[in-house]
Amino acid sequence: MRAARLIKMVLLLQARPSMTAAELARELEVSERTVARDVLSLSEAGVPVYADRGRAGGYRLIGGYRTRLTGLGRSEAEALFLSGVPTALREMGLADAASAARLKVSAALRPELRDAASGAAQRFHLDAPAWYQEPETPGLLPAIADAVWDDRRITARYLRKDTEVARELEPYGLVLKAGVWYLAARVEGEYRVYRVDRFTAVTAYEGVGTTGPAEATAAAEATGASDGRFRRDESFDLPAFWAERAAQFARSILREEVVLRLSARGVHQLPYVTERAAAREAIARAQAAGGPDEQGRLTVTLAVESAEVAYAQLLSLGPEGEILAPVELRARMAAAARRMAAVYD
């Protein structure tokens, strides 16, 4: 534990010109007295840590000291080899680059740690595609990935329902969700999401005047991106953007409501048979409004995609959920219950 903390202290001091005892204590989650003892231990071990005195003082490394990857422990090395998703790297055309990087890291490790790559791969595997789906790699994914890595504008043709449209895009990032690739791109000043498998053609801009329509060339000249690259907004956060858009999408498809009365077990099961966030919100509202009745049943108003979808989802609750409204759905559920009772009678 202490050895790992000492390594982390050295790496922190490598990354910053200077750090106070209070800053190091906060990062390492120890007391300032422990920081002082650790600095002394590093100095005794030959690590050139220098203490600047005074109000603006702190600790820093001198002499351009840099630690080496040979300081990695087994757990750190295995975590490093787990950081990539092999299937995704292969689909984006980055398998060779990733392999070269792993070889370089392996060569820098101590001999007793060089089995970390195979050890991690044999213990953990990420299977990104959803169940019951045959994963398909979009043919244009490597070209889009190249443009994303290079911050290069693309002109693309995209299928929107039954119509093919043309777009000039600034590709910001790729997301792999349940086996489906999505592109987050800026177009006309706003960020949008596109399914990669709906692109029918993609061409990267090589430079102003070399390809693309005149308006795209003018836009590139206006932003100073004469080599076809765009200026990335450094405040753009891909994980946060995706989480927000995913939540918006989930809410947008929930256009109807169903009122149902749930047993205690039904309350527990509801988030597992319908849209989870909508189920939890419905349960929380019902509990705040008065909670269960004298029979211990909770009446909730649940947002659903449609009556058809609700029928398929809520049927699995069986007797743990009773639909109160709409009356058409209640009647359909009652008819299904009668048919099921006849089967098992």
Side-chain angles (χ1 to χ4, degrees), residues 123-146:
R123 287 168 175 81
F124 299 98
H125 173 66
L126 176 61
D127 186 9
W131 287 101
Y132 315 120
Q133 293 184 8
E134 189 68 27
E136 294 183 4
T137 303
L140 294 173
L141 178 61
I144 294 173
D146 283 346

Side-chain angles (χ1 to χ4, degrees), residues 253-290:
I253 64 174
L254 304 178
R255 301 184 181 91
E256 299 183 26
E257 289 186 342
V258 171
V259 180
L260 64 156
R261 190 157 45 217
L262 301 167
S263 67
R265 184 169 183 174
V267 170
H268 173 74
Q269 290 178 337
L270 188 64
Y272 298 97
V273 302
T274 186
E275 207 282 321
R276 185 165 298 183
R280 288 175 174 168
E281 289 174 9
I283 292 169
R285 285 196 304 269
Q287 290 173 336

Side-chain angles (χ1 to χ4, degrees), residues 89 93-101:
L89 291 171
L94 299 175
D96 290 343
S99 177

Side-chain angles (χ1 to χ4, degrees), residues 201-217:
V202 170
T203 303
Y205 289 113
E206 299 299 333
V208 169
T210 62
T211 183
E215 55 269 26
T217 300

Side-chain angles (χ1 to χ4, degrees), residues 32-313:
E32 292 186 32
R33 182 173 295 180
T34 299
V35 168
R37 288 199 297 266
D38 286 351
V39 167
L40 180 60
S41 297
L42 287 172
S43 297
E44 291 173 349
V47 178
V49 182
Y50 180 79
D52 291 315
R53 304 296 180 182
R55 179 177 297 179
Y59 296 102
R60 61 186 175 88
L61 294 173
I62 60 175
Y65 178 85
R66 308 293 294 178
T67 189
R68 300 175 60 195
L69 280 174
T70 48
L72 285 174
R74 175 171 295 277
S75 61
E76 292 89 351
E78 290 179 341
L80 176 62
F81 285 110
L82 280 173
S83 62
V85 183
T87 302
L89 291 171
R90 184 171 60 251
E91 291 181 354
M92 289 189 292
L94 299 175
D96 290 343
S99 177
R102 286 193 295 269
L103 286 172
K104 290 178 181 179
V105 173
S106 295
L109 291 173
R110 298 195 304 272
E112 64 270 23
L113 297 181
R114 289 177 185 168
D115 65 340
S118 59
Q122 294 306 317
R123 287 168 175 81
F124 299 98
H125 173 66
L126 176 61
D127 186 9
W131 287 101
Y132 315 120
Q133 293 184 8
E134 189 68 27
E136 294 183 4
T137 303
L140 294 173
L141 178 61
I144 294 173
D146 283 346
V148 169
W149 283 114
D150 207 24
D151 292 339
R152 192 175 294 279
R153 286 183 178 84
I154 59 174
T155 178
R157 300 197 67 81
Y158 182 82
L159 286 176
R160 190 173 60 189
K161 296 183 179 179
D162 297 328
T163 305
E164 190 176 64
V165 297
R167 291 286 184 269
E168 281 83 38
L169 305 174
E170 295 177 353
Y172 265 65
L174 287 163
V175 175
L176 177 60
K177 171 69 172 178
V180 180
W181 285 96
Y182 296 88
L183 172 68
R186 185 166 62 181
V187 53
E188 298 175 357
E190 64 180 56
Y191 297 102
R192 300 178 187 174
V193 175
Y194 300 87
R195 276 187 59 145
V196 173
D197 58 6
R198 292 181 183 169
F199 284 100
T200 59
V202 170
T203 303
Y205 289 113
E206 299 299 333
V208 169
T210 62
T211 183
E215 55 269 26
T217 300
E221 290 174 336
T223 58
S226 59
D227 60 352
R229 292 181 175 86
F230 61 90
R231 293 175 181 172
R232 175 177 286 268
D233 180 359
E234 296 301 329
S235 66
F236 179 80
D237 185 331
L238 180 60
F241 169 78
W242 177 258
E244 179 184 353
R245 288 304 173 92
Q248 288 177 358
F249 174 76
R251 289 193 297 268
S252 70
I253 64 174
L254 304 178
R255 301 184 181 91
E256 299 183 26
E257 289 186 342
V258 171
V259 180
L260 64 156
R261 190 157 45 217
L262 301 167
S263 67
R265 184 169 183 174
V267 170
H268 173 74
Q269 290 178 337
L270 188 64
Y272 298 97
V273 302
T274 186
E275 207 282 321
R276 185 165 298 183
R280 288 175 174 168
E281 289 174 9
I283 292 169
R285 285 196 304 269
Q287 290 173 336
D293 59 20
E294 57 274 12
Q295 284 82 38
R297 299 175 76 85
L298 186 69
T299 299
V300 305
T301 301
L302 175 69
V304 296
E305 184 175 346
S306 66
E308 186 68 30
V309 172
Y311 171 76
Q313 293 175 336

